[in-house]
Amino acid sequence: TVTSAAYAGGTLTLLDGSTTVATLRLSGNYAGATFITAPTATTGVTQIQVQEVTPSTISPSDDFEAHGLSDVLIQNTSGAVVLGELGTNGQEAYAQVSGLGPGWSFHGSGDFVGSGARDYLIENTNGAVDVGQVAGGQTTYSQVAALGPEWRFRETGDFMGDGKSDFLIENTGGAVVVGEIVGGRAQYTPVAALGPEWTFVGSGDFLGDAKDQFLIQNTKGAVVVGEVSGGRTTYTQVGALGREWRFVEAGQFLGDAKTDFLIENTSGAVVVGEVAGGRTTYTQVGGLGPEWSFVGAGDYSGTGTDSYLIENTNGAILTGTVVAGHAQYIQVGALGPEWRFHG
């Protein structure tokens, strides 16, 4: 008999009271979801129905239209903001959703307002911070904050573990603050202070505990995961890298419901880093020439595993998907030099 189910870190545990009956490993991120068990005994066999009742919590990264696929957000030099969706034929389909003047900068994406779709965060040169929500092929902007020139956006993610995305900002004095949008305005919580030797290099659920952490690296090469809890940040060093390595993307490249990070060597080697047990395991998955640039990551094909997006100097756009420890590439489109990727 199964009376309840609990999810944490990619594992669904089936319980009879307080006794574990079975554990199931799930692909995708079900953080914040509610699982309902409906056991029915038939000839000694228990049938279990698990119903996911909060679909917004498992939306892929950069799923701006809440359709179960990651989109790409691009902008041209004229200011046009366009969403691109990977079609079933392996080609991108584009639709303009907005236009922005030269005073605006993009600072990441996430479900900041809890709508179930991804929003994007932009900042004006006057300090105004707006959230852009895409619906029906159009973008609606809402100002949620204003920041002085001493603040810089660093990362976005669900750092507070409440199923909504937050943004992380740092001031020139090293103070690190989490911003949460509540009731249409940003509320701030100081969570850390860092010296100038530290650089933010990514964010995601690297520890597999259904919350996002941020990844930082110091000038000596130490790689550290920072996790916010109770208004404080706990740091765990998970590795060290030489200067020949640079961080390029973060995503669920191995399909195990945890975030991995992607690094590239000056020689072109592309490596996936996975944190487990407080240490990082590295797997080389491919190599790229200097004509390629990393421009994004997400579940563009709806498989439950993230791919990374790369662009050639000739404009060709490819997805790279890790299969059995090796990257497989598919060209999905091409863009002219007047376009830039955001998100």
Side-chain angles (χ1 to χ4, degrees), residues 146-209:
L147 294 172
E150 71 275 17
W151 292 97
R152 294 289 182 270
F153 283 85
R154 296 308 188 196
E155 300 292 342
T156 62
D158 182 13
F159 303 114
M160 309 299 277
D162 58 2
K164 288 175 55 181
S165 296
D166 318 302
F167 56 88
L168 207 64
I169 54 176
E170 183 184 21
N171 72 11
T172 50
V176 179
V177 172
V178 169
E180 294 181 88
I181 297 173
V182 180
R185 300 299 295 174
Q187 298 181 358
Y188 300 102
T189 304
V191 296
L194 293 172
E197 70 275 17
W198 292 98
T199 302
F200 288 83
V201 292
S203 63
D205 185 9
F206 302 108
L207 303 180
D209 61 2

Side-chain angles (χ1 to χ4, degrees), residues 30 32 34 43 95 113 154 160 188 215 232 291 310 342:
Y30 288 79
T34 300
T43 61
V113 299
R154 296 308 188 196
M160 309 299 277
Y188 300 102
L215 202 63
R232 305 290 295 175
E291 70 276 16
I310 55 175
H342 297 295

Side-chain angles (χ1 to χ4, degrees), residues 4 9 15-16 19 41 83 85 121 137 146 154 162 164 178 193 203 209 211 218-219 224 264 267 275 284 314 328:
S4 63
L15 300 167
D16 179 7
T19 303
L83 279 186
E85 179 183 340
L121 210 59
R154 296 308 188 196
D162 58 2
K164 288 175 55 181
V178 169
S203 63
D209 61 2
K211 283 179 59 179
N218 71 11
T219 50
V224 171
E264 185 183 24
S267 68
V275 178
Q284 182 170 348
N314 64 14
Q328 297 182 359

Side-chain angles (χ1 to χ4, degrees), residues 11 16 32 86 104 143 161 202-203 217 262 269 280 297 304:
T11 298
D16 179 7
L86 182 63
W104 292 96
Q143 183 172 346
S203 63
Q217 184 182 29
L262 205 64
T280 301

Side-chain angles (χ1 to χ4, degrees), residues 285-334:
V285 296
L288 293 171
E291 70 276 16
W292 293 99
S293 299
F294 290 83
V295 292
D299 183 7
Y300 303 108
S301 56
T303 62
T305 299
D306 286 346
S307 306
Y308 54 88
L309 206 63
I310 55 175
E311 185 181 21
N312 195 284
T313 49
N314 64 14
I317 303 167
L318 277 67
T319 56
T321 306
V322 178
V323 179
H326 297 281
Q328 297 182 359
Y329 295 98
I330 297 175
Q331 182 167 352
V332 294

